[in-house]
Amino acid sequence: MIRSGAAPEATPLWWQGQRAPVALPMLAEGEPLPARVDVLVVGGGYTGLAAAREVAAAGRATLVLDAGSVGGGCSSRNGGQVAHSIKPTYAALTRRHGADLARRIHAEARDAVAHLRRLATEELLDCDWQPRGCFHGAHTRRHFEAMVEHVRGGQPPGLEQRVTIVPRSEQRTEIDTDFYHGGCVYHDDAAIDPPRLLRALLARAVDRGARIVDHCAVTALRRTRAGFEAQTSRGRIAARRVLLATNGYTGALSAWHRRRVIPIGSYQIATERLGKERVRALIPHGRNISDSRRVVVYYRPSADGERLVFGGRASLDEQDPLVCVPKLRRMMCRILPQLRGASITHAWAGFVGYTFDTLPHLGQNDGLYYSMGYCGQGVPLAPYFGMRIGQQIVDLPEGRTALDGLAFPARPYYHGRPWFLAASVLTYQLLDSLGI
Ligand SMILES: Cc1cc2nc3c(=O)[nH]c(=O)nc-3n(C[C@H](O)[C@H](O)[C@H](O)COP(=O)(O)OP(=O)(O)OC[C@H]3O[C@@H](n4cnc5c(N)ncnc54)[C@H](O)[C@@H]3O)c2cc1C
C-alpha cells in the first residue's frame, strides 16, 4: 500500500516556499523599456543570462526580457544533475558526421562540464557544486553488457571519462536495490542547486551591465534595415541583434525555430525529510542516479541529504505537476520499495527542448541568433552554449563551436505541437518493458 499523505506543494523544492526563483526589482507601472538596445535577449534562463554577460562585457547595451519570472522556465526547475551531455554516442555521430566532427562535438560536452566546474571551483560561483559523480544503472543484462563495451571501446579517443564498472553483485555499494543489472559510476559528474546557479549567472550578467526585466513577453519580431523591431507587452524596442534563448518555451515568435524544437514535459517529486541516515542507506555515496531506459528517470539526494528528489517523463504535456505524482511515486517505489511509506511534499514540472537529431543547436537564422535544444541536459550545456552564442553575437573568435553550421532539422507536418510523441513514447516504454 502506497501512502499518499497530504497534498504536495506544487513548486520546486529548490524554491524553498517562494513564489518565484528570483525576485527582481519591479519595473514600475508605466516605466518604459529603453527605446533601443544593441542586443535584445529573449528568455532569462541559463542560456539568456550567460549570453547577456558576454555581450554586455563587450560593451553592448544589453536587455534581457522574460515572459515570466527570470529563470521560471527550466532553469530553476531542473534536477541539478551535471553530466557529459551529448546524447548521440560517438559511434552514432561518426556515422552521421565523420570521426573528426563527432569527436569535436563530444569535446564540447566535456568543455561544458569543465566550464561549470571552473566557474564553481575557481570563480567560486555560488551554486553548491557537489562533485559526487553519477551511478548509471543498467535496466537489463544486455544494457549492462552494452555499457561495458561502450566504456571499454566506445568513447571518443582522448576524451575518455573516468568510469568505474559496477557489476550487479556489488551494486548495493551504490544504491540499495536489485532493480538494476549493474551499472557504471561516472566520476566527473556533479550536482548543483538550480536556483543558486541561476542567481549566480544573473549576478554575473548584471555586474557587466546587462539590464534584466521579467514579466515582459516579446510578442513579435520584425526585421528592419538596422536589425529588428521587437513588440513587447511593454511597448516596442529597436535592437541591432536579437538572441532567442527560449528553449522548451519557444512559442510563436519564430515559426522557423518552433518547427525545430520539441517541448517535452519533465516532472519531479521530493519526498518528505527522511533523515540523512536513511538517505545514505539508499544511496551511500550521495551520487546522482540515472538509468539506461529510453524513457528516462533521474534522481538524487537533496542538497541537505535529507530527502530523495526523483524525476522522469511521467507525462508528455501535463501542465499540472500534481497529476503526475502517483505515477512518479510508482516509478520511484519500483526501484526503491523502501520508500513506500514516504510522503511526497513537493511536485513540479517544466518543458525541456528536444531536437530531431538529439543535438543542441546554436547559430543564426535570417539574422536571428539562437541557442537551444539541449534535450534535457541544459544544466551544463545552457550556461556554456549561452556563453558561446554571446561571444558569436559580438564576433569573438572563441565563440566558435563544433556545432556551428550543422543543419537544424525540422520534420514535415511539425509546427510546434508534437502530435507524434505519444506514439514514440509508447513504443519506447514497450521496448523498455521488454528489456530491449
Ligand atoms: C523537471 C526538469 C528537470 C531537469 N533536470 C535536468 C538535469 O538534472 N540536468 C540537466 O542538465 N538538465 C535538466 N533539465 C533541463 C535544463 O533545466 C534546461 O535544459 C535548461 O535550464 C535550459 O535553459 P534555457 O535558459 O535554455 O531555457 P529556460 O530556462 O527554459 O528559459 C527559457 C525562458 O524563455 C522565456 N520565454 C519564452 N518565450 C518568451 C517570449 N516570447 N518573451 C520573453 N520570454 C520568453 C520563458 O519564460 C523561459 O523563462 C531539466 C528540466 C526540467 C524541466
Side-chain angles (χ1 to χ4, degrees):
M1 179 68 186
I2 294 177
R3 207 178 96 194
S4 56
E9 204 181 300
T11 55
L13 174 69
W14 335 116
W15 290 16
Q16 298 180 333
Q18 303 297 309
R19 289 177 59 203
V22 172
L24 288 178
M26 292 284 285
L27 200 64
E29 193 69 34
E31 189 184 331
L33 294 172
R36 63 185 64 251
V37 292
D38 294 320
V39 178
L40 172 66
V41 177
V42 187
Y46 297 153
T47 302
L49 296 172
R53 190 231 181 222
E54 298 306 308
V55 173
R60 309 296 198 277
T62 307
L63 176 68
V64 180
L65 295 181
D66 199 290
S69 302
V70 163
C74 285
S75 294
S76 63
R77 298 174 173 274
N78 61 70
Q81 299 202 6
V82 181
H84 181 95
S85 299
I86 290 293
K87 285 222 178 276
T89 60
Y90 173 57
L93 279 183
T94 298
R95 282 192 295 276
R96 259 192 249 168
H97 300 293
D100 176 54
L101 186 54
R103 189 184 174 285
R104 288 193 292 116
I105 291 173
H106 272 275
E108 298 285 356
R110 176 211 47 195
D111 292 351
V113 174
H115 172 64
L116 198 49
R117 183 184 301 116
R118 195 185 57 71
L119 288 180
T121 59
E122 291 174 27
E123 281 195 26
L124 303 180
L125 200 78
D126 176 19
C127 64
D128 194 23
W129 178 260
Q130 298 198 16
R132 296 204 182 132
C134 175
F135 174 75
H136 188 60
H139 186 51
T140 63
R141 214 185 130 88
R142 205 190 296 174
H143 286 190
F144 179 68
E145 286 158 8
M147 271 184 197
V148 172
E149 202 179 312
H150 173 75
V151 169
R152 297 209 169 126
Q155 300 194 75
L159 297 174
E160 291 83 2
Q161 297 181 71
R162 290 191 301 136
V163 190
T164 303
I165 295 165
V166 183
R168 195 178 201 182
S169 58
E170 291 167 25
Q171 175 171 292
R172 282 184 190 263
T173 59
E174 292 296 333
I175 179 165
D176 190 18
T177 184
D178 284 328
F179 185 79
Y180 297 121
H181 292 250
C184 290
V185 172
Y186 286 84
H187 295 280
D188 294 328
D189 287 11
I192 52 96
D193 178 299
R196 270 165 72 178
L197 175 60
L198 176 81
R199 288 192 285 267
L201 295 176
L202 172 66
R204 285 177 99 237
V206 171
D207 263 6
R208 294 303 179 121
R211 192 165 172 211
I212 323 284
V213 175
D214 56 2
H215 301 288
C216 182
V218 178
T219 51
L221 284 171
R222 187 174 69 80
R223 284 301 298 267
T224 62
R225 280 177 58 195
F228 286 89
E229 183 186 78
Q231 180 70 53
T232 80
S233 49
R234 282 177 171 261
R236 290 202 176 125
I237 306 171
R240 280 153 47 98
R241 295 190 169 178
V242 175
L243 168 65
L244 207 56
T246 48
N247 201 37
Y249 295 82
T250 301
L253 200 55
S254 166
W256 190 87
H257 291 92
R258 207 179 187 190
R259 293 197 56 212
R260 286 162 173 80
V261 175
I262 311 155
I264 302 184
S266 194
Y267 302 82
Q268 289 196 90
I269 51 176
T271 65
E272 64 181 321
R273 287 181 190 283
L274 303 166
K276 287 186 180 150
E277 234 172 81
R278 212 171 145 202
V279 174
R280 237 193 326 266
L282 295 173
I283 304 176
H285 303 292
R287 300 195 207 280
N288 304 335
I289 312 280
S290 58
D291 74 31
S292 63
R293 278 175 285 183
R294 290 172 182 80
V295 182
V296 295
V297 300
Y298 51 93
Y299 46 105
R300 69 174 177 106
S302 57
D304 60 7
E306 297 271 355
R307 308 166 187 258
L308 195 83
V309 181
F310 187 92
R313 308 264 185 274
S315 167
L316 296 173
D317 56 2
E318 177 56 58
Q319 301 276 346
D320 180 356
L322 298 183
V323 171
C324 297
V325 172
K327 189 164 176 193
L328 277 178
R329 250 189 104 90
R330 274 197 304 277
M331 288 157 80
M332 177 177 80
C333 293
R334 267 192 76 201
I335 303 169
L336 295 167
Q338 306 90 315
L339 292 178
R340 278 176 177 228
S343 299
I344 302 302
T345 58
H346 296 73
W348 66 99
F351 284 90
V352 300
Y354 262 70
T355 57
F356 287 106
D357 60 1
T358 63
L359 284 175
H361 287 272
L362 73 165
Q364 218 192 116
N365 178 63
D366 204 14
L368 182 58
Y369 286 87
Y370 60 89
S371 179
M372 54 182 61
Y374 309 117
C375 301
Q377 308 276 298
V379 172
L381 295 183
Y384 174 76
F385 285 120
M387 170 182 76
R388 292 290 182 233
I389 196 69
Q391 292 164 342
Q392 289 189 16
I393 291 171
V394 294
D395 304 316
L396 291 174
E398 56 266 41
R400 290 195 202 116
T401 77
L403 293 156
D404 297 349
L406 222 61
F408 193 170
R411 285 284 183 278
Y413 308 113
Y414 175 63
H415 299 281
R417 204 184 59 78
W419 47 268
F420 44 81
L421 269 188
S424 314
V425 170
L426 271 178
T427 312
Y428 290 157
Q429 277 167 343
L430 182 68
L431 292 173
D432 283 342
S433 66
L434 294 173
I436 296 170

